[in-house]
Amino acid sequence: FRALSDITLSIQPGVTGLLGPNGAGKSTLIRVLLGLAHVTCGTGHVLGIPIGDQLPRVRSLVGFMPEDDCYLHGISGVETLQLAARLSGLPSLEALRRGHEILDFCGSGQERYRPVETYSTGMRQKLRFAMAIVHDPQLLILDEPTTGLDPEEREAMLNRVRILRRDFGK
C-alpha cells in the first residue's frame, strides 16, 4: 500500500516535531529521508543532497535515533559507542574518546562498562541517543526519544536536545 502520498515540506533549522496518529507515515518519512525505504516517485533532498543519490554522504551528516533497540549483545555501552563511531569513519582511539565524551554528556556513569543487554529501558534509550550523536552529525532525527523515560530523565533528554541546538547548531 502507499504509505505516503502528495507530501511537500521544507524543514528549516531548529527543532521540529512530527505529530500524527499511528500509521500516519511518520516513520516511513524518516526511512525515506535516510534512504531506507524505496520511493516510487517524487524527489527530495536532505541537507541539499538528493535523496537516494549519495546515501553514504547523507548518512554521515545525519544522526538517527531509531525507536527500537539497535545494539549487539555481549558488548558494553562504551564498546557500542566506539563501534558506532568507527562505522562513521573515526579512528579507533578517537572513537573510544568520543564514546566516553558522549556517554558523559548523556549522563551515563559506570554502567557504560556493563553489557548493553543488562541495561534498563531508560539506559538503552540514552545509548540510542548517544549512538545518534557520536559522529557529530549536522542533522539529528530522533524517533520517539523520550519513550520509556521517567519524568526526570525525560526532562534531561529534552534538555540535551536543547543544548545541541543552542550550543552546537544541530
Side-chain angles (χ1 to χ4, degrees):
F1 71 96
R2 183 173 290 192
L4 301 172
S5 181
D6 297 324
I7 293 179
T8 301
L9 69 123
S10 176
I11 301 173
Q12 300 304 311
V15 177
T16 301
L18 291 177
L19 301 174
N22 289 343
K26 300 177 300 292
S27 293
T28 300
L29 176 61
I30 290 169
R31 288 195 307 275
V32 166
L33 294 173
L34 295 172
L36 301 173
H38 178 69
V39 178
T40 56
C41 65
T43 61
H45 294 77
V46 175
L47 298 170
I49 304 166
I51 293 174
D53 213 28
Q54 300 174 26
L55 287 178
R57 184 166 173 231
V58 168
R59 290 180 185 156
S60 72
L61 299 172
V62 176
F64 175 52
M65 178 184 172
E67 181 179 6
D68 299 317
D69 284 335
C70 53
Y71 56 81
L72 298 172
H73 285 253
I75 64 174
S76 68
V78 71
E79 290 170 321
T80 299
L81 266 246
Q82 183 180 24
L83 176 60
R86 292 282 293 133
L87 290 172
S88 296
L90 276 74
S92 187
L93 191 57
E94 175 61 15
L96 181 60
R97 185 202 65 75
R98 181 78 176 151
H100 280 290
E101 177 184 359
I102 295 303
L103 286 168
D104 288 342
F105 175 70
C106 291
S108 295
Q110 293 302 309
E111 69 265 12
R112 70 183 66 195
Y113 301 109
R114 288 186 11 218
V116 292
E117 65 269 16
T118 68
Y119 281 18
S120 68
T121 300
M123 289 165 55
R124 288 193 315 268
Q125 193 76 330
K126 285 195 287 188
L127 182 64
R128 283 195 299 276
F129 180 72
M131 290 170 71
I133 66 174
V134 71
H135 65 294
D136 194 26
Q138 289 181 23
L139 172 66
L140 295 174
I141 298 177
L142 311 175
D143 194 356
E144 305 284 351
T146 60
T147 298
L149 299 179
D150 62 38
E152 185 177 308
E153 270 304 317
R154 180 182 185 282
E155 188 57 39
M157 176 68 77
L158 294 175
N159 191 49
R160 287 181 197 106
V161 172
R162 286 183 201 102
I163 289 168
L164 290 173
R165 171 66 189 130
R166 182 189 66 224
D167 298 351
F168 300 98
K170 305 293 179 202

